[in-house]
Amino acid sequence: MEFGTTVLKRGQNGPLVIELQMRLAGFRGTVWDGDYGPGTERQVLAFQKDVMGPTTPTGVFDRKTAEALIAFGEKYKIDFAPLKCPCGVCSGFGKGQFKNEYAVGKPVVEAFHRYEYPGIHKAILHAFRATQFYCEKKGIAKPFLTSGYRCWVQNGAKGRESTNHMGKAIDCDFPMMAGDDKRDDMNRCDQVRGFLVETSDFQIGWSGTNRKALEPSSIAPTWIHMDVRSYQKQFLLDAYFVKSLKELNATNIEPQRIAA
């Protein structure tokens, strides 16, 4: 199936809709369940209004919108170099260990799932692209990626137990402007978190299920951490994780089973 060659609209479903939902993860947001319902339509409307600027957004993913979305991906590139695990042992994205294994004595939830996912989740990378766009639109210097994957070897070297960065999270930061100090950096991060809640439907913290999350300023005072750890298993299929820009931008979409 070739993404961008088929008109998609409300009431349709399937793998191409899943891909659309993830590519628009930074424009409002919905679960990537393959159902083109009101949530997906809202995403398309937001992209059309904010990026394309038509007088009357349609909410239909037509050829013109597809071309704009593909061009958007070309403009807001993702540098995978800082996303690779720095352990020097794994390939950069873990070894696929510990699937369906959870930390001993902890709840069986994604926050404690020990699995080394095969890459970085597409939705969070596409959400970062939208973050770049909205920062640019608001006159804020575009953020840059600082870290992504941390496998169990890296965790062991640093004395960590967190599973967030095993494909489910990225961190980004902002260039310091002339005369900036730490307080300016903190204020900028707070400002960005604030508008990401509005434009991208992020939540602060992890209280809501199936929502993109930002670490609060108490944890990440001078950087932005975004993750998908609050999602259920059917939204964290291996096929949704990528290791390169080529994989992220691929338009040839293989049908995927939506888990029950």
Side-chain angles (χ1 to χ4, degrees):
M1 296 184 180
E2 194 71 22
F3 181 77
T5 62
T6 303
V7 173
L8 301 172
K9 58 186 177 181
R10 192 162 177 170
Q12 291 180 271
N13 56 71
L16 293 179
V17 177
I18 292 175
E19 183 67 18
L20 176 62
Q21 290 166 330
M22 285 193 285
R23 290 198 185 211
L24 292 178
F27 295 92
R28 301 302 180 181
T30 188
V31 290
W32 32 97
D33 60 1
D35 179 14
Y36 201 127
T40 308
E41 187 175 72
R42 183 169 172 254
Q43 286 184 295
V44 174
L45 285 167
F47 179 81
Q48 290 173 330
K49 176 178 179 291
D50 292 352
V51 177
M52 299 173 67
T55 304
T56 308
T58 64
V60 174
F61 186 67
D62 55 17
R63 187 60 179 267
K64 185 176 180 180
T65 308
E67 289 173 353
L69 183 54
I70 291 170
F72 183 86
E74 290 296 325
K75 179 178 180 180
Y76 296 98
K77 299 184 184 298
I78 300 289
D79 181 4
F80 273 75
L83 294 178
K84 292 184 177 180
C85 180
C87 73
V89 177
C90 76
S91 64
F93 299 100
K95 295 182 177 180
Q97 303 179 95
F98 310 124
K99 190 167 189 175
N100 296 323
E101 294 185 25
Y102 296 81
V104 177
K106 298 291 186 180
V108 181
V109 296
E110 196 57 44
F112 303 111
H113 189 189
R114 302 182 73 242
Y115 182 40
E116 295 177 340
Y117 281 95
I120 306 290
H121 199 289
K122 288 192 207 179
I124 211 68
L125 294 172
H126 287 304
F128 174 70
R129 280 177 159 159
T131 303
Q132 291 179 300
F133 166 76
Y134 281 117
C135 283
E136 192 174 62
K137 190 173 182 179
K138 293 175 182 292
I140 300 170
K142 286 196 299 184
F144 58 91
L145 292 165
T146 56
S147 66
Y149 213 99
R150 299 171 191 161
C151 74
W152 279 109
V153 172
Q154 177 70 3
N155 266 8
K158 297 294 183 179
R160 288 189 298 248
E161 291 291 328
S162 171
T163 69
N164 280 357
H165 279 277
M166 292 179 183
K168 294 173 287 192
I170 59 174
D171 289 341
C172 63
D173 206 344
F174 300 87
M176 295 289 280
M177 301 292 101
D180 278 359
D181 58 19
K182 184 177 179 179
R183 176 56 60 184
D184 295 313
D185 200 13
M186 293 171 67
N187 289 340
R188 180 165 43 239
C189 289
D190 282 339
Q191 180 185 358
V192 172
R193 272 187 286 266
F195 72 67
L196 287 179
V197 169
E198 178 184 352
T199 61
S200 306
D201 287 354
F202 273 98
Q203 63 179 333
I204 305 293
W206 304 274
S207 60
T209 303
N210 294 333
R211 291 188 63 189
K212 303 181 300 292
L214 301 169
E215 281 183 345
S217 58
S218 58
I219 299 175
T222 57
W223 69 93
I224 301 289
H225 166 103
M226 48 184 73
D227 68 50
V228 289
R229 86 172 207 195
S230 294
Y231 283 81
Q232 295 170 308
K233 277 189 176 183
Q234 64 263 40
F235 304 118
L236 300 173
L237 300 182
D238 283 1
Y240 301 158
F241 293 78
V242 295
K243 300 176 182 178
S244 69
L245 184 61
K246 182 179 179 180
E247 289 180 6
L248 182 65
N249 287 346
T251 56
N252 184 25
I253 307 303
E254 294 295 328
Q256 295 296 332
R257 179 179 65 85
I258 303 175

